[in-house]
Amino acid sequence: MLRKPGSLSSLKSVFVFLFLLGFFGQASGDEEAVATEEYSDGARQCMICHAEGREREAHEIFLTPMGISKDPDSPFAEGSHDCETCHGPSASHRKRQPDGSRLPPPVTFAKGTPVGPQNAVCLGCHEDGNRIHWMGSTHDVEEVACVSCHEVHVARDPVMDKLTQQEKCFSCHPRTRAETFQASSHPLRFGEMACSDCHNPHDGANDYLLVRSTVNDTCYTCHAEKRGPFLWEHAPVTEDCTLCHNPHGSNHEALLKQRPPLLCQQCHSPGGHPALAYTSETAQNTFQQRFLLAQSCTNCHSQVHGSNHPSGVTDLR
């Protein structure tokens, strides 16, 4: 059965309302009550100030896996301290100061606060799996906070969406953003790929935070036909794809770093074949132009990634 437009949003609102109603029904309602314990009385107390519509609303955390109280790994599971599982004992935070202000909780995730204590809280639960090599990674060394990329108090973390994820990445990597708008690029800006398809931002075990141990193995996850093995291999292909390609974007076709034959002539010197390093200024006849026009060198050497043909030693077939 098809949902009516907006029904999912309405369902979420009803869920949050009923959840908070249960808390408010048990709360004292006195925001200025003096806390007498190290820990406060759970999320019911926090939601008095952080409910929907408040300045710092956090109610949508109950729409995420972290807010599932029946999950034993959730900070809201039985025996845990709800919000204070991450923010620390916050009884003093609930108590108003003489000037009407409140002390911050022991651990805050606001911009400008120390990164170490913030990340230590997150890594207390999220240090396994793909995040096991966070320590020592580029992002760890540069003191990038988890909350610089992730948003916890929302129903869906923006970095889980392919388009909004790249906006998070590009906020620190503007040069990469520019490269994705060049003539030839991977379809990042169309939402068909995400940065995390090639990079694992939490893993410092591989160069460039790649999802595989080498550049080539990362490329082969999508370009398996280039893996080989081939009877006749092309040396730069087996060494590193980025010797010829710029993976983030290029103004030359196929993400090439330079247009052929200039790209090929970086390795295949003019002393070999052809006898001259042809450019548009030096090609004077049709014989010479065939090394420049159309597919250039690949007019003849079409199997540049390798060949399994018995006569494919020069990648002609």
Side-chain angles (χ1 to χ4, degrees), residues 4-140:
K4 294 182 179 179
S7 61
L8 182 57
S9 177
S10 301
L11 182 60
K12 288 182 177 180
S13 300
V14 171
F15 177 85
V16 173
F17 173 76
L18 293 176
F19 190 95
L20 298 183
L21 184 62
F23 282 146
F24 284 110
Q26 303 173 59
S28 65
D30 183 7
E31 291 186 51
E32 300 185 10
V34 177
T36 58
E37 302 292 336
E38 187 178 14
Y39 285 96
S40 62
D41 196 16
R44 68 184 69 179
Q45 298 292 344
C46 302
M47 286 299 107
I48 293 174
C49 296
H50 296 282
E52 185 175 7
R54 295 301 185 98
E55 181 180 356
R56 295 186 178 182
E57 59 184 34
H59 64 285
E60 287 193 359
I61 194 171
F62 300 114
L63 300 175
T64 71
M66 290 183 65
I68 301 175
S69 60
K70 298 300 182 183
D71 184 347
D73 295 327
S74 167
F76 295 90
E78 184 177 355
S80 298
H81 295 287
D82 297 355
C83 306
E84 292 164 296
T85 304
C86 299
H87 291 282
S90 303
S92 60
H93 171 60
R94 289 183 51 238
K95 180 181 178 181
R96 286 188 182 276
Q97 301 301 301
D99 61 358
S101 65
R102 296 179 187 272
L103 295 174
V107 180
T108 61
F109 297 86
K111 186 177 181 180
T113 57
V115 171
Q118 293 183 40
N119 288 358
V121 171
C122 301
L123 292 172
C125 296
H126 301 284
E127 200 174 13
D128 56 355
N130 289 334
R131 296 166 295 276
I132 197 169
H133 295 296
W134 166 263
M135 302 301 292
S137 68
T138 301
H139 287 148
D140 177 43

Side-chain angles (χ1 to χ4, degrees), residues 146 245 288:
C146 301
H245 301 278
Q288 296 171 344

Side-chain angles (χ1 to χ4, degrees), residues 213-243:
S213 57
T214 66
V215 170
N216 282 20
D217 284 342
T218 302
C219 298
Y220 294 154
T221 57
C222 292
H223 304 282
E225 74 282 2
K226 305 297 192 298
R227 180 189 298 272
F230 294 107
L231 179 62
W232 306 105
E233 294 181 335
H234 192 186
V237 176
T238 57
E239 182 178 350
D240 192 329
C241 300
T242 60
L243 291 174

Side-chain angles (χ1 to χ4, degrees), residues 109-184:
F109 297 86
K111 186 177 181 180
T113 57
V115 171
Q118 293 183 40
N119 288 358
V121 171
C122 301
L123 292 172
C125 296
H126 301 284
E127 200 174 13
D128 56 355
N130 289 334
R131 296 166 295 276
I132 197 169
H133 295 296
W134 166 263
M135 302 301 292
S137 68
T138 301
H139 287 148
D140 177 43
V141 172
E142 294 295 329
E143 295 189 338
V144 177
C146 301
V147 294
S148 296
C149 303
H150 297 279
E151 295 183 27
V152 177
H153 298 138
V154 295
R156 180 175 174 80
D157 190 344
V159 297
M160 304 305 292
D161 179 85
K162 290 183 178 181
L163 284 173
T164 53
Q165 178 192 114
Q166 60 189 273
E167 291 304 314
K168 289 284 187 180
C169 300
F170 292 157
S171 64
C172 294
H173 303 280
R175 180 177 178 178
T176 303
R177 179 203 295 272
E179 290 176 338
T180 64
F181 283 94
Q182 292 182 320
S184 176

